[in-house]
Amino acid sequence: MFQSNLFAGRTVVITGAGRGIGLEVARQFLACGARVLAHVGRSADRELPAFLTQAENEGRAALFTADFGDGKGTAGFVAAVAEQVATVDVLINNAGTMFGRYPAATLTDEQYNAVVQLNQTAVVEVTRGLLPLMRAAGTAAIVNTVSISALTGGSPGSSIYSSSKAFVSTYSKALARELAPDGIRVNCVSPGTISTDFHERYSSAEKLEATRRTIPLQRLGTPEDCAPTYLFLSAPALSGYITGQVIEVNGGQLIC
Ligand SMILES: NC(=O)c1ccc[n+]([C@@H]2O[C@H](COP(=O)([O-])OP(=O)(O)OC[C@H]3O[C@@H](n4cnc5c(N)ncnc54)[C@H](OP(=O)(O)O)[C@@H]3O)[C@@H](O)[C@H]2O)c1
């Protein structure tokens, strides 16, 4: 794993950091010297990896739980972060999920609202809430997790999820212009098909194998494949002239 002092003295907030892509992003930021404020999921019931609890014990990390299923959850998270720090250098909006595959004809209002609230509205709410702390930092970076499905539309039953990721992609481009005068860069990482609990829930082994065969690099991605792009887009020394961009991390699954 890449290790450096690239983020020494920097405060990094990551949502959805209890597992999958977000967990690896947290691990790599910690390895590069950041102080990490990690939202580790909806509840404290699940056991977390030792490196996170060790970082918490050493004062290098603070761990939070919150359900972003409504505005109260995101507001509570923002308030908890603001209680701990006066400035935020990096915000990674990564919490998200598909919830299920919902055919267009039978999609319920509850299903629609849940997908949009978590993947779209919560990103707006957390960003709005932490903006004063990012402005106070002088320069800052926001990196939002979107998806290859924002470009392709995704597979059957994922129309609302894919559209919510497209919203975040466009929202990020608009914010990049709006926040540039404040020294805040805004970019996205767009994962392809990454082996995490996400696909354990929503994709069969056959579907994943069929997808794998279409990928030029001939394998599914891993959280380790994704995390360095988040660090790259967060570090002014590496990407200080990049804003309003979406970097696709997909083994060539989509080349256009
Ligand atoms: N895996 C892929 O192929 C892929 C592809 C494109 C984009 N993505 C995106 O990448 C991001 C990370 O996904 P992943 O693959 O790492 O999935 P994951 O392992 O399922 O992790 C999802 C994270 O989001 C959190 N989350 C889910 N529902 C939440 C809620 N209601 N409130 C607050 N947090 C909630 C989860 O917390 P809990 O532990 O409480 O559930 C978990 O920390 C997501 O935005 C996903 O849409 C993934």
Side-chain angles (χ1 to χ4, degrees):
M1 181 177 52
F2 182 66
Q3 276 182 299
S4 79
N5 283 328
L6 199 55
F7 293 97
R10 306 265 170 150
T11 298
V12 177
V13 175
I14 310 172
T15 68
R19 55 185 159 132
I21 296 169
L23 177 65
E24 182 60 21
V25 171
R27 193 165 74 97
Q28 297 201 9
F29 269 114
L30 284 166
C32 291
R35 170 152 198 240
V36 172
L37 277 63
H39 161 264
V40 292
R42 286 162 291 180
S43 83
D45 291 348
R46 250 171 357 96
E47 202 174 319
L48 293 170
F51 82 84
L52 262 190
T53 44
Q54 189 185 334
E56 184 183 36
N57 293 337
E58 292 169 1
R60 295 183 292 118
L63 310 183
F64 307 84
T65 55
D67 191 332
F68 293 165
D70 59 36
K72 256 189 9 211
T74 52
F77 172 63
V78 166
V81 169
E83 248 175 52
Q84 298 254 343
V85 292
T87 58
V88 168
D89 299 288
V90 176
L91 168 62
I92 311 289
N93 282 305
N94 168 75
T97 195
M98 200 185 277
F99 286 96
R101 292 195 181 270
Y102 304 133
T106 54
L107 173 77
T108 65
D109 290 349
E110 289 71 23
Q111 290 165 344
Y112 173 83
N113 288 330
V115 175
V116 170
Q117 167 58 36
L118 174 63
N119 294 290
Q120 175 172 325
T121 311
V123 174
V124 175
E125 291 171 343
V126 170
T127 302
R128 178 180 62 193
L130 293 181
L131 211 40
L133 303 192
M134 288 187 272
R135 284 199 166 112
T139 59
I142 300 172
V143 184
N144 294 324
T145 301
V146 292
S147 168
I148 188 173
S149 67
L151 286 179
T152 65
S155 45
S158 74
S159 59
I160 308 305
Y161 168 79
S162 304
S163 303
S164 70
K165 293 297 191 181
F167 171 95
V168 173
S169 174
T170 303
Y171 170 68
S172 304
K173 292 175 188 179
L175 278 194
R177 276 208 185 80
E178 186 176 321
L179 300 181
D182 295 314
I184 301 174
R185 297 179 302 110
V186 188
N187 293 288
C188 297
V189 176
S190 174
T193 305
I194 311 301
S195 296
T196 66
D197 295 344
F198 183 97
H199 285 291
E200 295 290 319
R201 290 190 296 271
Y202 309 125
S203 307
S204 66
E206 296 72 31
K207 182 177 187 305
L208 287 174
E209 174 55 16
T211 300
R212 186 195 67 75
R213 283 200 294 267
T214 68
I215 298 174
L217 292 184
Q218 288 291 292
R219 64 177 178 83
L220 302 182
T222 64
E224 289 79 2
D225 289 321
C226 299
T229 307
Y230 290 83
L231 273 70
F232 167 72
L233 289 173
S234 302
L238 301 180
S239 61
Y241 197 52
I242 298 178
T243 194
Q245 305 304 312
V246 179
I247 298 192
E248 306 289 333
V249 181
N250 59 35
Q253 191 175 352
L254 180 72
I255 300 177
C256 59

